Tab-separated table of all heavy atoms in Angstrom:
chain	number	residue	atom	x	y	z
A	67	VAL	N	1.744	-21.758	-2.044
A	67	VAL	CA	2.854	-21.397	-2.922
A	67	VAL	C	2.897	-22.344	-4.123
A	67	VAL	O	2.252	-23.391	-4.134
A	67	VAL	CB	4.203	-21.439	-2.174
A	67	VAL	CG1	4.183	-20.503	-0.980
A	67	VAL	CG2	4.535	-22.863	-1.722
A	68	GLY	N	3.665	-21.941	-5.135
A	68	GLY	CA	3.884	-22.814	-6.280
A	68	GLY	C	2.891	-22.671	-7.404
A	68	GLY	O	2.940	-23.443	-8.372
A	69	GLY	N	1.998	-21.694	-7.324
A	69	GLY	CA	1.020	-21.502	-8.385
A	69	GLY	C	1.526	-20.566	-9.467
A	69	GLY	O	2.735	-20.369	-9.649
A	70	GLN	N	0.579	-19.936	-10.176
A	70	GLN	CA	0.947	-19.029	-11.262
A	70	GLN	C	1.517	-17.713	-10.744
A	70	GLN	O	2.285	-17.045	-11.441
A	70	GLN	CB	-0.276	-18.749	-12.128
A	70	GLN	CG	-0.801	-19.976	-12.876
A	70	GLN	CD	-2.178	-19.740	-13.454
A	70	GLN	OE1	-3.190	-19.792	-12.739
A	70	GLN	NE2	-2.224	-19.455	-14.736
A	71	ALA	N	1.138	-17.340	-9.538
A	71	ALA	CA	1.658	-16.133	-8.897
A	71	ALA	C	1.351	-16.206	-7.414
A	71	ALA	O	0.401	-16.869	-6.995
A	71	ALA	CB	1.046	-14.874	-9.501
A	72	LEU	N	2.168	-15.500	-6.619
A	72	LEU	CA	1.936	-15.413	-5.177
A	72	LEU	C	1.877	-13.936	-4.805
A	72	LEU	O	2.854	-13.201	-4.984
A	72	LEU	CB	3.063	-16.103	-4.405
A	72	LEU	CG	2.846	-16.223	-2.891
A	72	LEU	CD1	1.670	-17.141	-2.582
A	72	LEU	CD2	4.114	-16.752	-2.209
A	73	LEU	N	0.734	-13.503	-4.297
A	73	LEU	CA	0.536	-12.121	-3.902
A	73	LEU	C	0.852	-11.990	-2.415
A	73	LEU	O	0.308	-12.748	-1.594
A	73	LEU	CB	-0.900	-11.669	-4.176
A	73	LEU	CG	-1.457	-11.939	-5.578
A	73	LEU	CD1	-2.817	-11.264	-5.748
A	73	LEU	CD2	-0.498	-11.494	-6.653
A	74	LEU	N	1.697	-11.039	-2.066
A	74	LEU	CA	2.112	-10.833	-0.676
A	74	LEU	C	1.367	-9.624	-0.133
A	74	LEU	O	1.806	-8.483	-0.271
A	74	LEU	CB	3.629	-10.632	-0.608
A	74	LEU	CG	4.453	-11.767	-1.246
A	74	LEU	CD1	5.940	-11.441	-1.208
A	74	LEU	CD2	4.177	-13.099	-0.567
A	75	ALA	N	0.211	-9.886	0.482
A	75	ALA	CA	-0.685	-8.824	0.957
A	75	ALA	C	-0.513	-8.634	2.459
A	75	ALA	O	-1.433	-8.855	3.243
A	75	ALA	CB	-2.135	-9.149	0.605
A	76	VAL	N	0.690	-8.218	2.840
A	76	VAL	CA	1.001	-7.963	4.246
A	76	VAL	C	1.503	-6.525	4.365
A	76	VAL	O	1.929	-5.927	3.372
A	76	VAL	CB	2.067	-8.947	4.772
A	76	VAL	CG1	1.557	-10.376	4.708
A	76	VAL	CG2	3.369	-8.807	3.991
A	77	PRO	N	1.457	-5.926	5.559
A	77	PRO	CA	1.968	-4.560	5.711
A	77	PRO	C	3.434	-4.448	5.311
A	77	PRO	O	4.204	-5.397	5.473
A	77	PRO	CB	1.769	-4.277	7.206
A	77	PRO	CG	0.658	-5.189	7.624
A	77	PRO	CD	0.851	-6.431	6.811
A	78	MET	N	3.816	-3.291	4.809
A	78	MET	CA	5.182	-3.073	4.336
A	78	MET	C	6.215	-3.436	5.394
A	78	MET	O	7.213	-4.106	5.108
A	78	MET	CB	5.345	-1.601	3.934
A	78	MET	CG	6.750	-1.229	3.487
A	78	MET	SD	7.238	-1.985	1.932
A	78	MET	CE	8.787	-2.758	2.357
A	79	GLN	N	5.995	-3.007	6.622
A	79	GLN	CA	7.004	-3.239	7.664
A	79	GLN	C	7.068	-4.696	8.108
A	79	GLN	O	7.968	-5.079	8.867
A	79	GLN	CB	6.747	-2.315	8.855
A	79	GLN	CG	6.725	-0.837	8.509
A	79	GLN	CD	7.950	-0.362	7.733
A	79	GLN	OE1	9.058	-0.810	7.985
A	79	GLN	NE2	7.737	0.556	6.792
A	80	ALA	N	6.129	-5.529	7.641
A	80	ALA	CA	6.138	-6.955	7.971
A	80	ALA	C	6.656	-7.807	6.821
A	80	ALA	O	6.869	-9.015	6.997
A	80	ALA	CB	4.724	-7.417	8.356
A	81	LEU	N	6.885	-7.204	5.668
A	81	LEU	CA	7.246	-7.978	4.473
A	81	LEU	C	8.576	-8.699	4.639
A	81	LEU	O	8.686	-9.900	4.342
A	81	LEU	CB	7.272	-7.058	3.254
A	81	LEU	CG	7.643	-7.707	1.914
A	81	LEU	CD1	6.650	-8.810	1.558
A	81	LEU	CD2	7.685	-6.647	0.810
A	82	GLY	N	9.603	-7.985	5.085
A	82	GLY	CA	10.908	-8.607	5.239
A	82	GLY	C	10.886	-9.756	6.226
A	82	GLY	O	11.457	-10.828	5.974
A	83	ALA	N	10.213	-9.550	7.358
A	83	ALA	CA	10.126	-10.600	8.376
A	83	ALA	C	9.365	-11.811	7.854
A	83	ALA	O	9.703	-12.963	8.172
A	83	ALA	CB	9.445	-10.053	9.629
A	84	LEU	N	8.336	-11.573	7.050
A	84	LEU	CA	7.577	-12.683	6.466
A	84	LEU	C	8.493	-13.548	5.596
A	84	LEU	O	8.483	-14.782	5.691
A	84	LEU	CB	6.419	-12.136	5.630
A	84	LEU	CG	5.614	-13.189	4.870
A	84	LEU	CD1	4.545	-13.789	5.761
A	84	LEU	CD2	4.975	-12.597	3.617
Side-chain angles (χ1 to χ4, degrees):
V67 302
Q70 294 167 282
L72 187 66
L73 310 188
L74 305 177
V76 298
M78 177 68 233
Q79 303 308 323
L81 180 60
L84 175 85

